[in-house]
Every structure is written in C-alpha cells, then in structure tokens.
Amino acid sequence: MSAWFIILTIGLSWLGAVCVWLAGDNRPRAQHALAVCFSLAAGAAALALIPNTADKAVISLDAGSVFGLFTFVADGLGVFLAVVATVIGSLAVIFSVEYMRGEAQLGRYYALVLLFIGSMAGLVLTGSLFLMFVFWEMTALCSYALISFYNDDPKAVRGGIKALIITQFGGIGLLAGTLAAYVYLGDYQINTLLAKAQTLPGGVLSFIAFAFLFAAMAKSAQVPFHTWLPDAMEAPTPVSALIHAATMVNAGVYLLARFYPAFAEVAGWKTAVLLIGLITALLAALTAVVATDLKRVLAYSTVSQLGYMVYAIGVGGVFASQFHLFSHAVFKALLFLGAGAVIHATGTRDMRQMGGLRKQMPVVSVVFIIGAAALAGLPILNGFWSKELILEGGLENGPIWAYGGMVLGAGITAYYTLRMVSLVFFGQPQGKKQVHDAGSPMKTALIPLAFGTLTTWLLVGLFGSWLQATLPYHELHTMTIGEMLLRIASEPATWLALGVIALGIAAWLLRGRLAGLAPALSGFGRAAANGFGAETLNRGAVALTQRAAAALQVTQTGQLNWNVLGIMAALVVVLLVLAGAA
Amino acid sequence: MDMNALTNLPVFLWLIWLPLLWSPVVYLIGRLARRRMATDTAVARWVALIAILSTWLPFAWTWQAFKASGPLSYTLGTITLRLDGLSLLLATAVLALSTLVVIYSNTYMHGELGESKYYAMLVAISGVMVGLGCAADLFNLWLWFEAMAITSYLLVAFYRDQAASLEAGIKYLVQSAVGSVFVLMGIALVLAQTGTLDIVQIQAAAAGQSDSWVLLAAGGLFIVGFGVKIAIVPMHTWLPDAHSQAPSGISAMLSGVVIEAGLIALLRALAPLAGTTTTWGILLIIFGVSNMVVGNLLALRQQQVKRLLAFSSIAHVGYMLIGLGIAIYFGEAAGAEGSFFHLLSHTMMKGLAFLSAGALLYVMHTARGEHDPLLIADLAGASQKYPLVALVFSIALLGLGGLPPLVGFMSKWQILVAGFETRSLMMVGIIAFVALNSVLSLAYYAPMVNAVYRKRPSTAVLSGQPVPAMMNIPLVLLAAAILIVGFWPSLVNGVVQPAGTALMAAFGG
Amino acid sequence: MTTEFTIIAGGVLCLLGVGLYGLLTVRNLFQVIIALQILVKGAIIALVAAGKISGQINLGQSLAVTVIVADTIVAVIGLALAVQVKRLTGSLDVKNLATLRR
C-alpha cells in the first residue's frame, strides 16, 4: 500500500509539473488550477503515508552496475518530512495563485515548484544514498532556477547561481561520503550504513561523517556557507517560503538526523556539529538585528533557527531537532507568506517604508504576529515548546557555555522579531501607496498555517511514538504531551530562557535609552552585511578563478607556430615522464 | 570473386562499406540533379538520408551477430578487421549522431555552395569512423585515422568564402598532420622493434620487453600523435577554432564523435604496449586533470556560444581520460565503463548542444545571410520565440554540467565510483577535484540557461526567423534520450559493458 | 648494419628537426606546407628503415607508399586552403591568420 502512496507523492508532483508546462503560458487559469490540484493531491498522498509507515524498503528496483538498488522507505522521519514538503508546498502553491497572478512564464514557475516539491519528497523517502544524492542535486537545480526566476534582474541571476554553486560545492561532501560508503559496504542502502557503520575502518567512518556534515552545512546554510540564503530572497516570495519551510534547507538537518546513530561515536563529530549550530544561531540572529529588508530578516532568522536544529543534533537531541523543524516549517511558512502578502500590497521589501499596516491589513497582521511570536519562542505557540526542548537537551547533555550562547540567541531572536513586527505593522505609515488586505487565495494559505502554529505542539506524543516505531537505529528521547508539559513547566531552565526572551523584548522597547550602544553596533553591522568574512571568501574565490582564467587565455594565441610548439612541449613532457618512470 | 563469396562476407563489413559506397553516389546524383534541374532542388540531402538510413540495416544485423557470438572478424590477406565491444560502441555513437545530423542539415545546409560535397563527406566520414573502430593492426588504424582527418579538414573549412573558417581549417590541418607524423614515427619504432603491426602479435612480442625504450618512445609518440585529435592539453589549441567555425552539424559530429574516435584509436594503439610500463594510466590521468582545468577555465570567459561549447568539449575529454587512466593503471573495469558511458552521453549532450545552438544561429543569423557568430547576449529571451529549442538547449547544458536526472550526471558518477574503488588516497583527492570542476563548469552553463529564459528578448531574437520543422526532429530525439537514459542508466549497458570488457581484455592481455 | 642504421637514424632525425623547426619559425603559409612535407618525408624514411631492420621489407615499403599518397592529399588540401586564404585576405602570413584567439 505504502509503495503506491510513495509513487503518488513523488509522481503526482512531477506529473503536475509536466501538465502545467504542457498547458502553455497562454492559459494561466488552467495553469493555476492544475498546479493547485496536483500539489494538493501529492499532499494527500503524503498524508496517506502516515498510517502506512514501515522500517523496511517498500519499493526496490535494481538499476544495475554502479547505481545499485533504487529503494524507497516510508519510515517515520521520511514520511514526516515528505508531509512537510508537500503540504506546506501546496499551501505555497495556493498562495501563488494570487501572488503570481498576471506574471509571465507561469508554466516554468509552477513546473519548477512542483518538480521541487517532488524532488524533496523523493530525497527524504528514498532508502538509497545514490538516489538521495540525485534528489539532493535536483533540489539544488530547482532552487537555482526558481531563485533566478526573474532572469532579467541581474541580482536574481547572481543569487540563483550563487545558491547553485555553494550547495553543489557542499554536494561534493555528500558525493564523497556516499562513494566511500559504497566502496566499503558494497551497496548504497542507508540502512546498511546505519547497521554496519561500526564495522567500517575508523578513518573511513569519520571521513563519511565529516563529508556529510560538510554537505549539510552548505544545504542548511550554516556558517560559513550561509551567504546564499539571504541572496536567495530575490525569488518570488512563495518560493522563499518553499525553500525556507518546506524543502531545501530542511535537507541538511534531515541528513544529520538520519545518520546520527552512525556518526555519534566518531571522535569530534558531535562537538563540530554543536559548534557549527551555536555559531550559526548567534551570528545569524545578530545579523537579523541590523537588516532592514523584511525578507532578509526572515532569511537570517531561518539560518539562526537552523542553527538551533543543528545544535540540537550536536547534543544528541535528534527528536528535539526534528520537532523544532516541524514547528519551524509551519511558522516560517506562515511568516514568509505573510511577508509576501505585505510585499505584494506595498510593493517594497524595505521595512523602513512600511509601518502602520496593522489597520490596513488586519488579517495579515494577526497571522503574522502569531508566527512572529512563535519565532520569538513565546508560550504557548509551537516554537516555544520545541525551542525549550532543544535548550533543555543542551543543558542536560551539552557544555554549559554552549547552552548559555543558545539562550542568549533566544533573547536576540525575541529582539529582532519584535523590531520587525513593530516596523511593519505599528507606528506611522511610511508608504504612500493605498494598501489592501490579502485576497482569498492568500488567506486560504495563511489561516491554516496560523492555526497550525497555535496547535502543532499538541502532536508531540503522536509524533514521537510514530518516529520511535519506525526508526530501529535511532534512540529517541520522545515523550507524551503530559510529560512535556510537566518537564518544561518544572525546569528552571525554562524560566531562565523566558527571562532572557523578556529581556530581548525589553531591549527593543527601551531602545531609546540604549541609543548609546548604536555606534558600537555600526561596525558590527558592516561585518554582518559581509557575512562575517564569508562573503569576502566567496568574492576572493570568484576573483581568483577569473584571474586564473584570464591568465590562461593568454596561452590561446591563435598563432600557428605557437600551436605547434604546444604539440612539441607535450612530446617532451610525455617522454620525460616515461624516462622518469622507467 | 563470385556472388557466393560476396554474400559470405561478414555483415559488419557492410557497416563500413555501405556509407563509403554511398558517398560518391550522393555526390554524383547531387551534381547531376543540380545540372539538369532548377538550381535549388538539391537532391543530395535526400539521397544522403536514404544512404545513412540504409546503413542501419547492416547495423541491426551486426548487433544481432555480436550479441549471439561475440567479437566478429574478417581477414583478407594480411589485413584484419575486427569488431569488438569498443568498435560497436563507436559504431553506435557514429551512426546515431550522423543520422541526426543528416536530418538536421536538411534545412541548415540547404542552398549552401557545395551542398552535395557536404553530404558526400558526411556519409563517408561515418563509414570511415566505423572502420577506424574495427582496425586490428596499426597500419590499418593509421589509414582510417588519416582518412577521417582528411574528410574532416574539408568539412571544417566548408565555408570557403569565410576567412575565419579557412583559418580554422588550416590550423586544424597543420596540427593534425604533425600529430599524424608522430603516429607514423611510433608505428616505425614498433615495427622496427617487434617486426609486426598486428595488435595481437605486438602484444605477444612486447610482453617480454618491459624495459624497451623503443616501445616506450613509441607509446609516447602515440599519445602525442593521437592526442592532437583528442585535443589533449596542450595540443588542444586547434579545437576551439575548428569546432566553432564548422557548420553546426559538423561541430556536433566533431565534438560528439570525431574526438572520441581519436580516443579509441589511441586506446587501440596503446593497448599492445600495456605490458611495457604502468605509466600509461598515470599519463592519461595527468592529462585528464589538465584538460579539465584548461577547458573549464577558458570556457568561463567566452562570449561566443559555439566557442564556449568547444572549450567544454576539452573539459569533457578530461573526464573520459581520467576514467580510462583509472581503468588502465588500477585495473578498474568500472573506470573504462564509466568513460565509455561518458563518451556516449557526451555524444548525446554535446551533439544536442551544438545542434540547438546551431538552430538558434541559423534562425538569427545564417538564414538571414549573415555570418556573425552566436553570442551569449543573443540568447537573451530566446524562449519567448523558440520555446522548444530553448528547452532542449537548457537540457543539454544542464546535462553537460552534470545535474541529475540527466545522463551526464550518471556517466560522471560511474567514473567517480571507479575513482573511489581504487581506495587510493591520491585518487580520492583527484576525484574531489573532478567534482569541483564539475561545479565550476556550472558557472558558465547556468548563465546561458538564465539568458535563454529572460523576458526581454535580444534584437537578434526579435529579428529571428521561425525554426524549420525538420530541424526539431533531431533536437527532440536527443533531448528525449538524455532524459530517458538519465532516469534509467542501465539502458546503455548493452553497449557500454562490452566496450569496457574489450578494453580491459586488450590492456590486461 | 650499425653504421647504416646510424646514418638513417641521423637522416630521419635531421628531416624531423628541420620540419619542426620550420613549423615553429616560418610565417609564409606555403613554407608551412613545405615544412610539413619535410616532416612527413622523415617519417616515410623511418618506416622503410623499420621494415628493413625487422626483416619486413614489403610491409615497410607498402606502408611508405600509402603514406606518400595520403600525404599528397593533405598537401593538396593545404595548398588549396592557402590559395583561398590569399584570395580572401591578400596575405599568406600566418601572423595575420590569428583572428580566432582567446
């Protein structure tokens, strides 16, 4: 049964892509309708997988030679992320009906979105490392094409190619790890790697572990590979929601969570993961404080929240990280789509030109504030519970300084979230444009997400027992809802974290008194805009490559005499190498 | 010779002779028809189509015979022709691509001066390349190789009223001729040392002479001599000129099969010397790496589409060389299979890239009587007017960049697996570098895809003419092949594995 | 035998050297083709000599004859292209034949 639902989840998305493409750009209504129908159907198929989870491969095809068995497994972790991808993806598609109305080249837009959703579902449902890499690269391809959807805008093209190159660069890690596993284990099955990890030679296992970490860092935008995510904001906003909540960035965290049992014992791996998460969470949160572009603030908040998830894995909290991923997917989709509605209405992304939108866009402002509160970690929204679970796991199993850093990060998150909300929705209107509230397709997407933000934490027990049942290699620290309530309410750590969050809020409210700090922060703002040196690194690498290419171009003189010299040089080199070897 | 002897000829010979027999027929009919009828009827294109389609018949029989009883051979006097897995691979690629190019050229070359000659050469070169794949002694090998070179000189310098086309032709001719002399010197050394030119016998004779400097020098001369045709760096300098100046169908043939035929000729010549040293594999790997670096970096700064594609061919030869180096040095059959798979996939992808770029060149410039090159800037907004060509061009480019689920990814993967199979730390480093190069190549493929999908069309697009219907056929077929084999790579196992086996057997002894 | 071989080897190397030196230095297109011819002549003598050394005289000589034929075709095509270049550009200098570069 589940085999069919897997095929439907991936297949319906891709079939939809083809159908929308074939419908042609002169029939936009049909394209909107087809995209919505197919994405909803794929979402339904993914939901139907929930009662059909299993820990064994349900589809297995032999692709022969070095490509191994093409397998698909409907276990809890995979199905969970497939549901996130398809359901939130379909909400983004519904939202697009209004957001993209009247745009040209809708066929390309929807085809890529549906291909993206299907590829992400494939990435998490496959049981073969080879296919995982294939889907991994396909998501990179789709994100590139969608980020640079507005091809006439050079910034969009640059952002798209940057995302492609950085995630592909990280992909080399996944490739190397996969190949090493294949060579030493004889097949590509994820379960083989999990089962036999400890039989691998120590060096090989740590090679695989760090190679996968490298890949996850690029995909999940961890420092220093985070710079592509803010630049990806040139994409149409529903695509941003897709990349940040439903697909793409979740893949890195998924990779770490999936292989945690195999790599946990590798010396230094957990510490490295923890450190990367901590640094990313803090730096990204600080950058969000100084950003003025609404979508960029949200982008940095994603980077920062991904840092929390990575940190959670570093301290052994696989369950907490996945639970936070779940919450984050819901509230971040809500925030992005809400921001999309605001941008669609005001025509700008600069928060300094918004203000006072609360009265003009009542529905959007309410749902956006719900999402923002979840991001800030205010009780009793879903972001609160999952973040507290991560922090408590960190206090219990991780070093205290890292815990301190993460709590501080929670305070900064509260600060920039409040700053964003008050700049956009409160104060005096700065824009001159007459603004209207969102239309019905946008509301159709926003309201379920707002409802989810309020309630998904209630599923904790179900979610945990469901993951536990189908992941034989993972030792999860799951709990029922009652346990969670009791634990979080009784832990002093919770109150500490809430105290810090309150301090963050107070800092924004009292910002007038803290004005003396502003000059100190300006240098920091410049460093942040530069991605803390990562951007310099990127630019340096690009410049170096271009310079090398320009230098090499000199050798292509076009002179016949010179060309013959090349042949003779080759002869000399070959004979010398042969003489040296003989 | 009576009829009985004729019908007893092995069927694979017809695969070679049929195109060679057709070639003068195509030319003569073309010329006669031109003299008798109105000037622009050009019957040659249809005769060429019949000629190339008729060659599929012996191909199908050869295929069955090969599947049934393995390698086929035929000896006449001292000359032996042998069809093994490697020959079959080359024959498949050559025949498929030349068929598509004949269909493609139907409108592309229509009305050009010397159209009949063009088709005669095109049909002839496909027979010559199949013959090259079947050569079982060095003399034969050189002869087919030279025949291929001569035919391709004429095709490269086809536009004889264009200075650039002549320039490319002359550089190609001189450099190839120098390479050819080196090959002859290698043959002379082998003959002097072993007293034979038959590949099997050389192998037996060379087995006891692992330290013979004469044979080592001969191998070196083969690498350099054939290397000119394969465009091994630093002998590659003719390639960007020739491939960008030739008519687009010929660019596709040159990049898609001619350089690959050179590669197979090199393997044939080097195989009997395998026992003399293990350095051959290392040399191939070194050249593979330098090809990738030079090809990718130079492609990065090109403004002309066809020239860029030509540089990317140099880089792709690098992947094949590395796979072959792994196969030869480490004895990893997966490396050979990966290389041959990549050879096939490169034929499809580069063939499609040149044909679709050529289609755009045709509708924007050539059909309007201009000889301007196709610039990347001209591509802007091409999808508005030419959605199909834009789509298949993007598929070809992204496939070349190694993105799944396209065939280029699968073949590169197989080479990378072979690299890891060696479990050598050095090789793992090289493989990481190969992967890095693949990422780098996206930096020049991706902007072209972006340009094609812009909303504001370039002036060249605005003034462009519609794409002729017949030109679409080869484009769609190639794009479909790239997608289908990309989704299910084992479809080509039937061709790739025998080729890998043949190579390992030739080098393993 | 040894002296004979030395003389032939020396002659072959001389021809190859002259040919390659010519290809590296001459600028007139016709001279380039002539240099190419000298180069090929070296190879032809080498083939004949190789046949003699290995006792396969027939093989060496038939090879040489074939090479002469093929080489003539190449020379003819080369000269034809050179003539055409002269007609179009008015120059035979290979230095002017470098519009395709970078």
Side-chain angles (χ1 to χ4, degrees):
Chain A
M1 207 50 201
S2 46
W4 280 107
F5 287 126
I6 290 178
I7 293 173
L8 285 176
T9 307
I10 304 170
L12 280 174
S13 310
W14 287 1
L15 186 67
V18 175
C19 289
V20 175
W21 182 279
L22 290 178
D25 284 348
N26 39 15
R27 278 184 288 174
R29 290 179 64 106
Q31 286 179 319
H32 287 303
L34 280 171
V36 169
C37 291
F38 274 105
S39 63
L40 282 176
L47 285 172
L49 274 172
I50 293 179
N52 289 307
T53 49
D55 57 357
K56 295 277 184 304
V58 289
I59 300 178
S60 185
L61 294 168
D62 191 354
S65 70
V66 296
F67 304 103
L69 288 176
F70 285 6
T71 52
F72 288 89
V73 186
D75 64 10
L77 190 56
V79 170
F80 153 60
L81 280 156
V83 167
V84 167
T86 51
V87 172
I88 294 182
S90 58
L91 292 175
V93 169
I94 293 171
F95 186 85
S96 302
V97 172
E98 186 176 345
Y99 191 88
M100 299 299 285
R101 186 174 291 152
E103 293 275 357
Q105 302 183 339
L106 274 180
R108 181 159 62 94
Y109 175 77
Y110 278 127
L112 285 168
V113 166
L114 288 167
L115 189 65
F116 200 176
I117 295 172
S119 308
M120 185 65 193
L123 165 63
V124 293
L125 287 174
T126 183
S128 143
L129 278 169
F130 171 72
L131 276 191
M132 188 193 236
F133 183 73
V134 168
F135 286 119
W136 183 277
E137 299 286 280
M138 282 174 73
T139 56
L141 169 66
C142 294
S143 68
Y144 142 73
L146 282 167
I147 292 167
S148 52
F149 179 72
Y150 297 120
N151 278 310
D152 291 277
D153 178 2
K155 262 164 71 190
V157 172
R158 261 204 307 278
I161 293 178
K162 187 172 181 181
L164 181 64
I165 302 247
I166 290 186
T167 53
Q168 290 265 329
F169 182 62
I172 295 176
L174 185 57
L175 176 129
T178 301
L179 289 177
Y182 172 68
V183 167
Y184 282 90
L185 294 171
D187 76 10
Y188 289 114
Q189 300 313 305
I190 289 173
N191 283 338
T192 312
L193 176 56
L194 289 175
K196 296 193 188 157
Q198 306 317 326
T199 65
L200 286 170
V204 174
L205 183 62
S206 45
F207 176 82
I208 300 174
F210 281 98
F212 278 16
L213 175 59
F214 185 74
M217 282 164 72
K219 199 75 159 184
S220 285
Q222 300 295 293
V223 172
F225 297 130
H226 64 292
T227 55
W228 68 267
L229 198 54
D231 286 3
M233 290 301 107
E234 305 301 330
T237 306
V239 171
S240 306
L242 205 59
I243 290 176
H244 285 252
T247 55
M248 199 70 178
V249 296
N250 292 346
V253 179
Y254 163 75
L255 189 70
L256 296 179
R258 172 64 85 187
F259 293 104
Y260 176 80
F263 301 153
E265 302 302 319
V266 171
W269 189 77
K270 279 173 79 174
T271 317
V273 173
L274 175 149
L275 265 178
I276 289 162
L278 171 67
I279 295 171
T280 306
L282 276 179
L283 286 188
L286 285 168
T287 316
V289 169
V290 292
T292 52
D293 177 325
L294 174 56
K295 280 179 78 178
R296 275 185 174 257
V297 173
L298 288 176
Y300 285 117
S301 79
T302 303
V303 177
S304 167
Q305 296 304 306
L306 287 168
Y308 276 88
M309 297 172 212
V310 171
Y311 166 81
I313 290 171
V315 296
V318 173
F319 174 71
S321 88
Q322 294 307 301
F323 191 46
H324 192 53
L325 192 156
F326 184 24
S327 308
H328 177 257
V330 174
F331 72 69
K332 191 50 65 72
L334 172 62
L335 283 172
F336 260 111
L337 294 180
V342 168
I343 293 163
H344 192 66
T346 59
T348 176
R349 299 193 332 219
D350 192 336
M351 294 191 295
R352 290 167 299 190
Q353 293 174 22
M354 296 174 183
L357 292 176
R358 186 169 46 102
K359 296 203 182 79
Q360 290 153 308
M361 307 185 78
V363 176
V364 172
S365 67
V366 168
V367 296
F368 192 91
I369 289 168
I370 292 175
L375 170 62
L378 296 182
I380 48 146
L381 299 159
N382 61 3
F384 164 75
W385 301 106
S386 52
K387 198 182 281 183
E388 291 303 331
L389 273 187
I390 289 180
L391 289 176
E392 267 153 40
L395 181 63
E396 222 167 88
N397 304 316
I400 185 77
W401 47 267
Y403 170 77
M406 298 311 278
V407 171
L408 179 65
I412 305 172
T413 308
Y415 176 87
Y416 72 70
T417 310
L418 188 58
R419 169 177 175 267
M420 168 175 74
V421 168
S422 61
L423 280 178
V424 174
F425 292 103
F426 294 87
Q428 290 304 311
Q430 306 293 321
K432 296 177 186 67
K433 206 174 155 195
Q434 190 58 39
V435 173
H436 295 287
D437 208 355
S440 52
M442 285 191 179
K443 282 180 191 155
T444 316
L446 288 170
I447 289 170
L449 285 170
F451 180 73
T453 307
L454 289 165
T455 54
T456 52
W457 56 277
L458 293 169
L459 298 174
V460 62
L462 216 57
F463 182 55
S465 57
W466 176 47
L467 287 186
Q468 187 83 72
T470 55
L471 296 175
Y473 300 101
H474 288 68
E475 192 186 320
L476 300 166
H477 310 283
T478 56
M479 56 192 78
T480 62
I481 177 91
E483 285 164 2
M484 181 175 83
L485 284 175
L486 191 67
R487 178 157 167 206
I488 288 185
S490 64
E491 280 279 345
T494 307
W495 304 103
L496 173 68
L498 279 177
V500 174
I501 291 170
L503 272 178
I505 293 171
W508 171 253
L509 296 175
L510 302 172
R511 63 192 177 282
R513 309 250 177 91
L514 299 171
L517 287 173
L521 276 174
S522 73
F524 171 79
R526 274 197 302 278
N530 186 20
F532 299 98
E535 201 57 18
T536 317
L537 215 65
N538 286 346
R539 272 197 292 270
V542 171
L544 196 71
T545 315
Q546 289 286 358
R547 220 171 301 146
L552 208 58
Q553 265 195 311
V554 177
T555 63
Q556 188 77 21
T557 59
Q559 296 286 354
L560 189 53
N561 305 134
W562 169 264
N563 291 358
V564 174
L565 184 66
I567 302 180
M568 292 178 60
L571 182 65
V572 171
V573 168
V574 168
L575 293 182
L576 280 180
V577 170
L578 285 171
Chain B
M1 205 186 298
D2 60 335
M3 277 311 286
N4 215 10
L6 258 185
T7 48
N8 278 344
L9 283 180
V11 68
F12 82 91
L13 286 187
W14 285 104
L15 198 52
I16 306 170
W17 288 121
L18 204 55
L20 293 180
L21 292 175
W22 267 111
S23 169
V25 175
V26 169
Y27 183 70
L28 286 175
I29 294 184
R31 291 303 296 233
L32 287 177
R34 217 177 159 82
R35 201 169 290 169
R36 289 275 171 81
M37 299 184 230
T39 38
D40 62 338
T41 27
V43 186
R45 52 183 179 164
W46 298 110
V47 185
L49 189 59
I50 294 169
I52 207 80
L53 288 178
S54 70
T55 316
W56 282 98
L57 213 60
F59 179 80
W61 286 331
T62 306
W63 180 271
Q64 281 178 347
F66 181 82
K67 287 289 151 194
S69 56
L72 312 164
S73 79
Y74 176 74
T75 308
L76 180 71
T78 55
I79 299 172
T80 302
L81 288 173
R82 189 166 46 235
L83 183 132
D84 62 3
L86 211 49
S87 331
L88 195 65
L89 170 86
L90 186 62
T92 311
V94 166
L95 206 54
L97 192 61
S98 52
T99 307
L100 295 175
V101 168
V102 168
I103 298 173
Y104 177 84
S105 305
N106 197 289
T107 37
Y108 191 94
M109 299 307 291
H110 186 50
E112 292 285 353
L113 196 65
E115 202 183 337
S116 311
K117 191 180 76 182
Y118 171 86
Y119 284 109
M121 290 293 164
L122 186 51
V123 171
I125 203 172
S126 46
V128 168
M129 276 190 276
V130 177
L132 171 72
C134 296
D137 67 281
L138 291 181
F139 181 37
N140 234 315
L141 185 71
W142 180 83
L143 205 58
W144 290 114
F145 182 71
E146 194 66 12
M148 177 178 86
I150 290 172
T151 325
S152 57
Y153 301 151
L154 293 169
L155 286 169
V156 166
F158 179 78
Y159 295 119
R160 29 176 200 195
D161 49 352
Q162 296 297 314
S165 162
L166 290 175
E167 179 187 332
I170 284 181
K171 284 183 199 165
Y172 179 37
L173 183 139
V174 173
Q175 284 181 255
S176 285
V178 173
S180 175
V181 168
F182 285 163
V183 172
L184 282 177
M185 289 303 298
I187 292 177
L189 291 181
V190 170
L191 178 60
Q193 185 75 10
T194 64
T196 175
L197 289 179
D198 183 276
I199 287 173
V200 178
Q201 291 171 19
I202 297 172
Q203 188 147 38
Q209 312 185 29
S210 63
D211 53 350
S212 157
W213 66 267
V214 177
L215 292 182
L216 285 183
L221 285 164
F222 286 149
I223 291 185
V224 177
F226 289 115
V228 174
K229 187 65 99 227
I230 313 170
I232 291 177
V233 171
M235 298 165 276
H236 64 287
T237 40
W238 60 272
L239 183 139
D241 304 350
H243 288 205
S244 62
Q245 292 306 317
S248 298
I250 298 307
S251 309
M253 288 290 285
L254 289 176
S255 267
V257 284
V258 174
I259 49 180
E260 283 80 355
L263 189 59
I264 284 174
L266 172 63
L267 294 174
R268 287 270 193 241
L270 216 48
L273 307 177
T276 53
T277 176
T278 52
T279 319
W280 307 127
I282 298 178
L283 275 170
L284 292 190
I285 293 174
I286 294 173
F287 280 126
V289 170
S290 63
N291 262 45
M292 274 188 328
V293 172
V294 170
N296 277 330
L297 284 180
L298 287 179
L300 206 52
R301 297 183 58 90
Q302 299 304 318
Q303 298 303 319
Q304 299 178 13
V305 177
K306 282 180 72 178
R307 201 168 165 81
L308 187 154
L309 291 175
F311 277 113
S312 111
S313 292
I314 295 178
H316 278 273
V317 167
Y319 296 109
M320 293 176 218
L321 287 176
I322 287 177
L324 291 169
I326 292 168
I328 293 170
Y329 186 74
F330 294 97
E332 280 294 342
E337 282 171 27
S339 269
F340 293 137
F341 186 11
H342 197 63
L343 188 156
L344 266 191
S345 73
H346 185 246
T347 303
M348 297 183 221
M349 297 183 302
K350 196 50 71 65
L352 178 59
F354 268 119
L355 293 185
S356 45
L360 294 175
L361 176 67
Y362 179 78
V363 295
M364 291 180 194
H365 297 301
T366 318
R368 306 172 68 231
E370 303 165 357
H371 268 284
D372 300 18
L374 181 71
L375 300 177
I376 294 179
D378 290 342
L379 293 176
S383 67
Q384 308 274 303
K385 205 162 176 179
Y386 312 112
L388 182 77
V389 180
L391 178 65
V392 296
F393 186 52
S394 310
I395 289 177
L397 291 178
L398 296 172
L400 286 167
L403 287 176
L406 304 170
V407 66
F409 167 78
M410 297 294 171
S411 51
K412 278 182 193 172
W413 180 270
Q414 199 161 2
I415 295 175
L416 301 184
V417 170
F420 265 75
E421 290 275 11
T422 64
R423 303 191 187 193
S424 128
L425 209 56
M426 184 70 194
M427 220 40 239
V428 168
I430 291 177
I431 291 303
F433 187 72
V434 171
L436 198 61
N437 261 282
S438 204
V439 175
L440 172 63
S441 73
L442 288 169
Y444 55 85
Y445 293 126
M448 287 200 281
V449 178
N450 285 113
V452 164
Y453 282 102
R454 285 177 67 159
K455 286 196 195 101
R456 276 193 295 275
S458 66
T459 49
V461 170
L462 286 175
S463 60
Q465 306 195 345
V467 178
M470 210 160 153
M471 229 179 230
N472 288 331
I473 299 172
L475 300 186
V476 170
L477 288 177
L478 279 171
I482 288 171
L483 277 168
I484 292 168
V485 183
F487 267 104
W488 204 248
S490 51
L491 283 176
V492 293
N493 277 356
V495 194
V496 166
Q497 275 171 357
T501 316
L503 183 88
M504 297 316 287
F507 273 84
Chain C
M1 181 67 196
T2 329
T3 20
E4 191 185 74
F5 172 71
T6 318
I7 293 169
I8 294 175
V12 167
L13 287 177
C14 269
L15 283 172
L16 291 181
V18 170
L20 285 173
Y21 180 75
L23 284 174
L24 288 181
T25 51
V26 300
R27 291 174 52 174
N28 184 303
L29 213 42
F30 284 127
Q31 288 173 359
V32 169
I33 307 286
I34 292 170
L36 210 51
Q37 287 295 305
I38 297 174
L39 199 62
V40 180
K41 295 303 170 286
I44 291 171
I45 295 176
L47 284 172
V48 176
K52 172 124 172 57
I53 289 169
S54 62
Q56 303 275 345
I57 299 180
N58 293 341
L59 187 56
Q61 291 186 348
S62 57
L63 248 175
V65 173
T66 319
V67 173
I68 291 172
V69 173
D71 172 50
T72 313
I73 301 176
V74 173
V76 166
I77 295 175
L79 290 173
L81 292 178
V83 169
Q84 195 68 17
V85 166
K86 171 78 177 168
R87 263 193 212 147
L88 274 183
T89 66
S91 155
L92 276 175
D93 193 337
V94 291
K95 285 274 182 289
N96 297 335
L97 210 60
T99 57
L100 303 170
R101 52 203 211 95
R102 292 298 144 94

